[in-house]
Amino acid sequence: MQPGYSRSRFLLIVAALSLAVAGAFIFLHVTSTGQSVSTGVDFEPVDKAAIERGRYLALAGNCASCHTTAGGRFMAGGVAFETPFGRIYSTNITPDKATGIGDWTGQEFLTSMRRGVRPDGKHLYPVFPYTAFTKVSDADIVALYAYLSSIPAVRQQATGNEISFPFNQRALMSFWKAMFFDEGVYEADISKSPEWNRGAYIVEALAHCGACHSPRNFLGAEKNDKALAGGEYTDNIPGGALRTWSAPNLTSAPNGLGLWPHEEVVDYLKNGINTYVETFGPMNEVIMNSTRHLSEDDVNAMAVYLKSLPAREEEYPADVRRTVLGMGRTVYNLHCGTCHLPTGLGDEESAPRLGGGSLVVQASNPASLINVILYSPQRPDPPLPTKRRKPMEEFQYLLTDGEIAAVASYVRSNWGNAGGEVTPEQVAAQR
Amino acid sequence: MHCEYPRTGVVPGRQLLIASALATILIFAGCSRQGDPGEPENSASPLRVRLMTGQQYSNTITDIFGADISNSVAPPLPPLARTDGLLASGAAFVGVTSDQIQQIQQAAATVAAKVVDEYHRDFLIPCQPAAQTAADATCAGAFLKEAGRLLYRRPLGESKVAGLVDVADTAADESSDFYAGLALALESMLISPEVIFIVDVAEPDPENPGRERLDAYSLASRLSFFLWNSAPDDELLQAAASGELHTREGLDRTVTRMLASSRLEDGLRAFFDDMMAFDEFASLAKDPMVYPMVTGATLADAREQTLRTIIDHVMTRNEDYRDLFTTRSSFMSMNLAALYGTPTTNGWVPYTFPESSSRSGLLTQVSFLAAHSHAVRSSPTKRGRAMRELFLCQNVPDPPPNVDFSALEDAGDVATARDRLKIHNTNPSCAGCHLITDPLGLGLENFDGAGGYRAMENGVELDASGELDGTLYDDVEGLARAMRDHPKLPYCLVNRMYAYGTGGPVSLKYDRAILDHFTGRFAGRGYRVPDLLREIAMSRAFSRVRPDLAAREISANASGVDASKLVVNQ
C-alpha cells in the first residue's frame, strides 16, 4: 500500500523544512552519504531454493503492487505516489542493467534496503519504506536479491519524480534520517513466542503495515508512539481520481482490531473477507497481491502479533448531536438499512455488517467510510466469491454532503460503534 | 420585442446597408436564446429515440384525422416497462418485434381506409381527383405532403413526397381506384419508424460552438409531447419552420400558447396518470364477496376522480402542488358515492369533503387506497411503498427471492394489520424494507382494501399514528400534512416532469444541478405546476443536447436494451 501524508499539514511541513534547510546543510558537512553496509554478507551461490524463498518474501513485502503499473511490465516501476511534496514514481527493480537494478551488487541492494541509500550514494525517499525494510534479515535480503535477479529484465527508464524545491534535494534526507530513521535488523523479543516474533517480523518489516496504518508527524515520519493506530494516505477512488483514505487502527483500541477475534483477522488476510468486512479500495492490492499468498503459519503469526498490540488511539471522537442522528437515521433507513438491515448487522446475501466490529466505520478519520458511501466500495478485480445479491451503489449523486455526513455519523454512533460525528465539510473534501 | 427572421432585400445606399446589417445583428441578439441566467451552465439533455405511447398514437391520429377514426383502432403499440417511475421513460428503451409491426400495420391499414372512405374523404383530403378510377399525382401529392408533415412532425423532402405519390399512383393504376392508392401510401407512412418513433435530431448550436441543440422540429415535437401528449399542430410546425422556436421570445410565445391551450389538460392528465401508475387499473379488481360495492365502473371512476382533482387543483385553480396531499376539494360520481358514503347526483360534480371527514388529499382517495391494496384486504406495505416511490422518488427494493412468508401468514389471532406486520420486525432481513414502508401505510389503515372508511378492524380501534422521515403524526390528517411538507415531494415532481418532458429517465450524475435549479424555481413560484412546465420547456437543458457519450452511458445504465435497434426480430 502507498504511504502518504496529510495534505492539511503541508504548509506546516514547508515552514518546518525551510527552517531545517540551514541546519541540514550544516549537518551534511559532518555526515557522510551512502556508503555500502559492511556486513560481509555472502550473496553466492544462488540456487533455486533461494530464488523461491525470495519470491515468497517479495509477496510478503508486496513489492509488485508498488513496482508494477496497471497493465505494465512486472516490477518495471512507474507507479505514481502522490505526496504533499510532489509526485514520486517507483523505480524499475528488474535485473535490466541500464534501467533496473541489474548492475547493483548484492551488497548495494542490501544497503538500499537497510539504509535507504542508492549505489551512487544518494538517499532514497522514504516512499520506499526502508524504515520498515531495514528490519529485514540479511538472509531474507539475500533471497530477495536472488529472486529479483531471476525475473525477466525489462528495459524501462524510471519516470522522473516531480518534486518541488527544497524537497527535491535528496541530501536533505540525511537530516530527516537522523531524526526519524532507526537502522537495524529486527531483534526478536525472547519473552514472546516464536509465532509472535514471526508475526512481528512480517508486520513491522516485510509487510511494512505501518506505512499506511500508522499516523505520521508533520515531517511525514511515522509516529512510533502511535504505531499502527491508524493512518491516512492519498490513493485512487473508483475512476482513478485521487482522494484521502484512512487506514484503520490495527491495535486493540475500541475502534481497532480489538473488535476482531484472532480467526477473523486470519480470514481477512487470507481470504479478503470475514464476518465484518470485505476488502475494498487500496487494501485490495494488499490482500490480492500479498497476504492471501502467504502460508497459513505466517498469516496466523501476523494475527497473533496484531492481536497482541496494546490499544493506541489517535483521537477520541466527539459526541454526535441528536439532530444529526435523527437525520442520519432517516437516510440510513431509506438508503442503507434495506441491505445493512436495521440492526446494522448486515447479512451474507445483502451487505456487510456495520455494527460491532467494522474498523472502517469507526476509524478516527472517516475518509474511507465517506469514500465508500460516495463512490461505492471498489472490489478486487477479479472479484472474490460472494453471496451478495448485488453490489453497493454509489451515492455521490443521490445524497447531499449533509445527508452523507448525517448517515455516516448515525452509523458511527450505533450498534456499539463510537466513531463520532462526521461533518458536511469532511464529505465535501472527499468529493 | 417582436422577433422574426430578418427580411432581406435590396436597400440603396451604403449607410442604409450598414444600418440594416446592424439591425439584423440586434434582432438576432435580442432574439438569442440566452436562457435563464440562473440555469446551470452545462445543462443539457440526451438525444433520444423513443417509441410513441399508445395514448400519444391515439391523440396524434385524433388531432390529424379525427376522434372517430382514432377510436376505430386500438393503439397498436407494445406495452412499456416502467422505468424510473414512468412508463414514458421506458419508451426510450424499447424496440418493436415483428409481431408488433404486424399490429401496427393492421392499425395503419384501418386508419388509412377510414381516412379515404366516402364519409371522411371530403373534409380530410384537400382535393378531388380528376377521376376516381385513376391515379392523380397532383391531388395525391397535395394530401400526402400535408398529412406527411403532420405525421412525420416535419416537412417531407421532395423525393420522399415523390416516392409516396409513386406508391399511390401505382396502386391506383393497379386497382383502378384513386382512393385505394392513396390509402396505401398513407398506410406506408403510418408504419414508418419515423412516425411511430419520436426521433430527436441534433444540429450545431450557434450560441455554443462545439455543442449541439435539438433542431427546430425535434424541439417542436418534444414540446408537444410534453405539454399536449400529442404531435405538434400546424402552428407549432410553422413556428419551427420560421426559426421562432430557437429565439427566446419566439419560444416564450409558443410555450404561452401551448400552456393556454385546452390540449394542456390532455398533457397533464397523461403525465399524472403515468406518474401515479394508474395503468395498474387495467388489471385491478376487488373480491366482490369482500367488497360488493366495488365494480369495474367504481374503480374506473376512482381513477377519473383523482385525475379530475389534480387537473382542477394544479391547472384550473393553479394552486400549490403540495396542497394536493391535504385538499378536501374533489369530484364525486354516482359510482363512487356509495363507497364514500355521501349522497350525490348523476354525472361528475364538484365535491368537498367535510372537515369532520378523514378524507384529506390524494392519499385518502379511493384510487390510491384501492390500487395499493390486496383484492381482499388493505396493505400498509403496498401503500407505504407507493407513497415513497410515486411521490418521493425513493426506491424500495423488491423482496429477496427466497423470502419466507410463512411467519406472516401464520401470524395467529391478530385483529389488525399493525399487529400482523409486527412479524416483520422479528426478522431483520424483512425489517430493513418494511421499516420504510409499513409505518406510512399503517397511517392509512382507517381505509379498507377498497378505500372505504373504517374506524375499527375486527372490533379493535385502529391506530393510525406513525412517523414519516422524522415527522410524527397521530392520524391520517397528520400523515397527509407530513407528506405535503416532505422536502422530497416537490423535488420528485420536478424529477418526473423533467424526465417526462425530455423523454427518458434523469441521470443524477448529469441532471442533479438542473433538477435542483428547477426545484428552487418551483418553490420560488409557490409550487405552481404551470410555472414548472414553463420553466422546463423554456430551459436550455430542454433543447440543448448532451454529448453522445453521456447519452449512451445513461442508456446503458437504465436498460439493457439498445435503443438504436428500433426493430427487433423475434
Side-chain angles (χ1 to χ4, degrees), chain A residues 329 333-334 396-397 399, chain B residues 394 435-436 467 509 512:
Chain A
R329 183 174 66 91
N333 288 342
L334 278 172
Q396 60 172 318
Y397 307 112
L399 299 180
Chain B
Q394 293 166 340
L435 188 64
I436 62 174
E467 179 205 333
K509 180 175 183 180
R512 185 169 170 163

Side-chain angles (χ1 to χ4, degrees), chain B residues 38 143 181 264 312 438 444:
Chain B
F143 170 75
L264 179 65
D312 180 63
D438 297 359
L444 295 172

Side-chain angles (χ1 to χ4, degrees), chain B residues 41 58 67 233 281 327 362:
Chain B
E41 188 55 36
S58 294
D233 65 358
F281 274 83
T327 184
L362 294 189

